[in-house]
Amino acid sequence: MNETLAGFEQRRLAELKDHITTRAAAERDRRPRRRISLAVAAGAVAAAVATVATVTSMGGGDPAYAVTKDSDGIVYVTVRDFRDAEGLSRQLADLGVPALVDFVPAGQKCRDERGTVVTDVPRGLYYPPTQIPGDKEGLGWRMQIDTKLFKPGQTFVWTLEVDPVYGWTGTSTILMHDPVAPCVLVPDDTRHNVQTVSPWPATSLRGYEVGGKTVGEVRPEIDKRGLKVTYLITEPHPDSDRLPPEIARSVPYVMYPSKQSTPVGDDWFVWQADERQPGTIRLMVTPKLNGRAGVDH
């Protein structure tokens, strides 16, 4: 794994942003978006902890994040709620980790060229984020950092992103030389791949095939079942003709966050539906079907 870029959800994120890159990286680290969490083992490890900083979760329940440091200078980070990026940056700095943490909502991104990436990352400086044991939702991550290995003028840059297609939270971890420019949010105009199979089947439409029908044909069935509807506006993958058949079939369409406000016509085609929130059907729609892809339901 690239030591300058270790995002827990990174493989998955790259998969949706560029399936070609994703396939080369194979089943990318962009796992069902998770957070950095570090479970401090009981016993000897717990006894070695010298400093602890914990912030209560914004939504109650488990802490939003916890940062601990042991007597050897190892910092353990556990993150369950990414929204308080400023607070997490502050706690990390208090424990000797020079870091910038930015939360980037779906549909936005940080402006490029924030600084120069460190290419000679010391071995053992940090370990890639891993999933929190027992976290069934897979929305958190844990990580450890050896503060003794930082060189003057270096900063960890963590960008916590929300995937606009599936809502997973992805994390990129990059070590950069100072100075690091702040994250200036700009509209996300990048292409995101949409997979043939959604993680959330449209169970409320069971028995009704939507693939290949028009919006005007599908809407009455949704209304009849008392369901709500939203749209994901897609278009055929521009590289379909140049991709191997198995890849073209797995990511037949792409979406652009900047185009999601486009009015959807009754003559648009539906090629897939999913149901992340019970009772709300999301229709994957396109003004033109991809000839190399099948349709789903």
Side-chain angles (χ1 to χ4, degrees):
M1 179 179 289
N2 187 332
E3 288 186 306
T4 65
L5 205 99
F8 181 82
E9 283 305 346
Q10 199 165 349
R11 271 183 292 179
R12 205 90 168 126
L13 237 157
E15 176 183 341
L16 300 175
K17 290 184 176 178
D18 193 330
H19 189 78
I20 303 175
T21 302
T22 301
R23 186 171 187 264
E27 303 275 356
R28 40 176 9 258
D29 196 18
R30 206 196 157 9
R31 338 75 182 153
R33 304 284 133 141
R34 311 150 195 187
R35 308 166 248 183
I36 290 181
S37 73
L38 197 352
V40 179
V45 175
V49 173
T51 309
V52 179
T54 303
V55 175
T56 302
S57 172
M58 296 176 179
D62 293 324
Y65 57 80
V67 185
T68 66
K69 184 175 183 180
D70 67 20
S71 57
D72 292 327
I74 305 298
V75 168
Y76 302 91
V77 184
T78 301
V79 179
R80 295 180 182 275
D81 189 322
F82 293 103
R83 290 172 294 175
D84 188 12
E86 183 178 348
L88 179 56
S89 296
R90 188 166 52 250
Q91 295 290 356
L92 288 167
D94 289 345
L95 296 184
V97 179
L100 289 177
V101 184
D102 297 297
F103 176 75
V104 180
Q108 295 183 293
K109 66 178 182 178
C110 290
R111 182 183 294 165
D112 295 335
E113 304 302 328
R114 297 185 62 186
T116 304
V117 175
V118 175
T119 57
D120 57 339
V121 179
R123 183 176 298 277
L125 174 63
Y126 70 97
Y127 292 92
T130 58
Q131 186 175 8
I132 303 173
D135 184 0
K136 296 180 180 179
E137 295 183 356
L139 297 178
W141 51 246
R142 63 181 183 178
M143 184 180 187
Q144 72 180 57
I145 305 165
D146 189 344
T147 59
K148 301 187 302 296
L149 298 179
F150 277 110
K151 296 179 180 178
Q154 294 182 341
T155 297
F156 255 138
V157 179
W158 278 326
T159 305
L160 314 173
E161 303 169 300
V162 179
D163 178 74
V165 179
Y166 300 106
W168 291 316
T169 303
T171 306
S172 69
T173 304
I174 307 175
L175 186 64
M176 306 187 79
H177 293 290
D178 293 339
V180 178
C183 173
V184 177
L185 293 176
V186 297
D188 181 6
D189 56 358
T190 57
R191 184 177 78 198
H192 297 263
N193 291 320
V194 185
Q195 299 177 354
T196 303
V197 180
S198 172
W200 308 287
T203 55
S204 294
L205 279 180
R206 185 178 288 111
Y208 182 78
E209 303 284 340
V210 303
K213 293 184 172 67
T214 65
V215 171
E217 292 173 319
V218 175
R219 280 299 303 268
E221 182 67 22
I222 292 177
D223 294 340
K224 183 175 71 174
R225 299 191 183 203
L227 304 171
K228 298 178 181 179
V229 64
T230 62
Y231 299 105
L232 183 73
I233 297 172
T234 68
E235 54 192 73
H237 198 298
D239 298 325
S240 286
D241 292 339
R242 297 188 295 274
L243 294 174
E246 68 275 12
I247 296 181
R249 286 192 297 269
S250 64
V251 283
Y253 294 90
V254 299
M255 67 83 74
Y256 295 87
S258 58
K259 297 183 179 182
Q260 293 308 297
S261 60
T262 303
V264 175
D266 284 345
D267 58 342
W268 284 36
F269 294 99
V270 180
W271 62 274
Q272 184 191 116
D274 65 9
E275 188 176 7
R276 185 177 183 184
Q277 299 296 329
T280 299
I281 301 298
R282 181 175 65 165
L283 299 179
M284 278 66 160
V285 299
T286 177
K288 178 182 178 181
L289 288 172
N290 186 336
R292 294 196 67 190
V295 291
D296 208 349
H297 61 86

